[in-house]
Amino acid sequence: MLHLRKLTLRELRLPLKEPFQISSGTQTERRIFLLHLQDGDGIETWSECVAPEFPNYTSEAIDTAWLAIKQWVAPRVLGTSFPSPDVVRPVLDQNFRGHNMAKAGVEMGLWGLAATIREVSLSKLIGGTRSSIATGISIGIQKNPPALVEKARAALAAGYQKIKLKIKPGSDVDFVAAVREALPEAHMMADANNAYSSADIERLASLDRFNLIMLEQPLAWDDLLRHVELQKRMKTPICLDESITGLDRAQDMLTLGSGRIINIKPGRVGGFSASIAIHDFCRPRDVPVWCGGMLESGIGRAYNVALASLPGFVLPGDLSPSARYWDRDIITTEWTMDRQGMVTVPTTPGIGVTPDLNRIENLTTRLETLNAK
Ligand code: OSB
Ligand code: MG
């Protein structure tokens, strides 16, 4: 039985090693939202709510997620007994629309807690089959094509198996062309974070000549229909990120032909149950899925790595090691990647990382503890 007695919400700020620019803005620091879960026997674990500072990815932001967890998520889980974590999501969805990242932070924490209680790794708990995960890097928009080429070259030299180039109008075709010319064999893709509209179809279709593995979320964040027309015009597979908010949207994508690949981020779809459901739907239909990232700390990364160990995650994930993002992570043994671009899946019980409690305490800017009544 899972029985949550105490939930602690904690915000801390971690400076990014280098600014990360996507079409909707630049980040220099990550506001990190951690959750600490404790059951009646004193068993505990940590999770992370990935909502960003501003509602410029989906409609959620850290401050809305904090409110949603405190007001509506926590009261439904604190003091409630769940036989297993897969029954949590329906409870969170009853007459409670949206707020997927808020729901996911807590739902995933309960998966982490279940793994700790059962003394198995999180990967094993969900049926993971991989012992290491192929890793790709997401490279932010750079000031000019040569600067991007340099980043891409360094990433390949470090072993990354896939490079993802962020693009936006004004920083797209020339940038991708320069990287392709410099690195003809690179496994590469582009991510527009919904910076384009149907008026840009010809421009987007011109990316076909660069032999990209996929083009991620070119059109609006909640669109499925306009992507159909674009996919018909393009040879390059479209991968949806923002538009896939749950299993139903994954099904719609396939029915409509809005795209051919899905980037699964457990935060965006509301947690592990939904992520596993999308994985299970896609796998027999030969729809490749891979695990995206939200600039998580080492704690959030533990969940992504475990999820990506499922057999249908057939493409490299955005699961860069700690040193890609931070001078120092908030876990004691940081995430590393080997020269072949592989990240090892932990086999120890629970989430498989050890939070650095002193560092977390020192960095904390906001704290709130909620108890079962
Ligand atoms: O679209 O995948 C995205 C980061 C923040 C918001 C959206 C996205 C991203 C990334 C970063 O691409 C991937 C990572 O965590 O390394
Ligand atoms: Mg994306």
Side-chain angles (χ1 to χ4, degrees):
M1 272 295 175
L2 281 167
H3 190 87
L4 195 64
R5 277 287 285 279
K6 187 170 160 186
L7 181 67
T8 307
L9 289 61
R10 200 184 265 273
E11 179 181 338
L12 42 95
R13 289 166 192 243
L14 269 188
L16 284 160
K17 252 189 184 170
E18 55 184 54
F20 186 69
Q21 188 188 349
I22 68 175
S23 62
S24 57
T26 305
Q27 261 181 285
T28 55
E29 175 190 71
R30 180 72 162 113
R31 287 173 61 186
I32 292 193
F33 183 175
L34 296 182
L35 294 159
H36 179 251
L37 299 90
Q38 247 177 292
D39 77 358
D41 302 320
I43 297 180
E44 53 171 352
T45 197
W46 293 77
S47 66
E48 182 167 346
C49 172
V50 299
E53 180 161 22
F54 302 109
N56 61 351
Y57 168 73
T58 62
S59 61
E60 289 182 274
I62 184 167
D63 296 315
T64 69
W66 191 288
L67 177 81
I69 290 176
K70 183 178 157 181
Q71 298 275 93
W72 304 301
V73 178
R76 292 176 186 224
V77 295
L78 278 168
T80 309
S81 292
F82 297 100
S84 56
D86 54 303
V87 300
V88 174
R89 183 66 193 276
V91 172
L92 297 182
D93 276 348
Q94 204 176 11
N95 301 323
F96 179 4
R97 320 285 186 235
H99 298 276
N100 282 358
M101 292 180 188
K103 290 173 180 172
V106 174
E107 193 252 19
M108 289 158 72
L110 287 163
W111 283 89
L113 195 64
T116 310
I117 292 169
R118 294 186 202 170
E119 296 181 356
V120 294
S121 69
L122 190 54
S123 163
K124 188 154 182 205
L125 180 73
I126 63 171
T129 52
R130 290 170 207 283
S131 56
S132 59
I133 315 289
T135 300
I137 189 172
S138 175
I139 304 178
I141 296 166
Q142 304 294 315
K143 59 179 186 304
N144 52 43
L148 182 60
V149 169
E150 195 182 314
K151 292 272 178 207
R153 205 189 288 283
L156 288 179
Y160 283 104
Q161 295 200 17
K162 183 187 83 185
I163 50 180
K164 166 163 127 179
L165 313 175
K166 291 288 188 179
I167 58 168
K168 66 170 185 181
S171 309
D172 49 22
V173 180
D174 296 348
F175 285 66
V176 176
V179 178
R180 180 47 87 212
E181 193 179 335
L183 305 162
E185 304 298 324
H187 286 266
M188 89 196 212
M189 60 174 291
D191 184 1
N193 290 103
N194 40 98
Y196 297 87
S197 73
S198 298
D200 302 310
I201 285 191
E202 291 313 313
R203 183 160 191 88
L204 291 167
S206 76
L207 294 170
D208 265 345
R209 66 191 150 102
F210 302 119
N211 195 21
L212 301 177
I213 310 170
M214 68 192 102
L215 172 62
E216 187 173 335
Q217 197 71 36
L219 307 180
W221 66 284
D222 54 353
D223 175 78
L224 288 172
L225 279 181
R226 289 156 190 81
H227 281 98
V228 176
E229 195 194 341
L230 178 63
Q231 183 66 91
K232 282 189 188 142
R233 269 288 284 121
M234 290 190 83
K235 183 164 97 259
T236 308
I238 290 174
C239 167
L240 294 180
D241 174 355
E242 286 88 330
S243 290
I244 306 299
T245 50
L247 175 61
D248 47 4
R249 291 294 96 83
Q251 293 166 334
D252 294 349
M253 180 196 91
L254 208 61
T255 305
L256 295 167
S258 327
R260 302 188 188 135
I261 299 175
I262 296 177
N263 168 339
I264 299 182
K265 294 183 186 173
R268 193 193 65 230
V269 301
F272 263 21
S273 300
S275 301
I276 295 165
I278 294 170
H279 164 273
D280 293 350
F281 170 76
C282 289
R283 197 169 172 228
R285 292 169 179 80
D286 286 323
V287 177
V289 305
W290 56 283
C291 186
M294 289 291 290
L295 310 177
E296 288 89 350
S297 77
I299 292 173
R301 199 157 305 281
Y303 287 86
N304 290 351
V305 168
L307 183 66
S309 72
L310 291 174
F313 283 77
V314 293
L315 292 163
D318 283 344
L319 301 164
S320 295
S322 303
R324 149 90 178 120
Y325 310 95
W326 328 110
D327 280 326
R328 191 174 146 203
D329 206 333
I330 55 167
I331 52 176
T332 48
T333 304
E334 301 203 345
W335 288 99
T336 55
M337 180 181 81
D338 70 17
R339 304 298 302 174
Q340 282 69 46
M342 303 299 286
V343 169
T344 302
V345 181
T347 53
T348 48
I351 63 172
V353 293
T354 308
D356 184 339
L357 301 182
N358 278 329
R359 182 159 166 74
I360 289 172
E361 192 61 45
N362 290 337
L363 292 169
T364 297
T365 54
R366 178 159 52 152
L367 183 69
E368 202 160 339
T369 299
L370 309 169
N371 288 290
K373 293 221 175 56

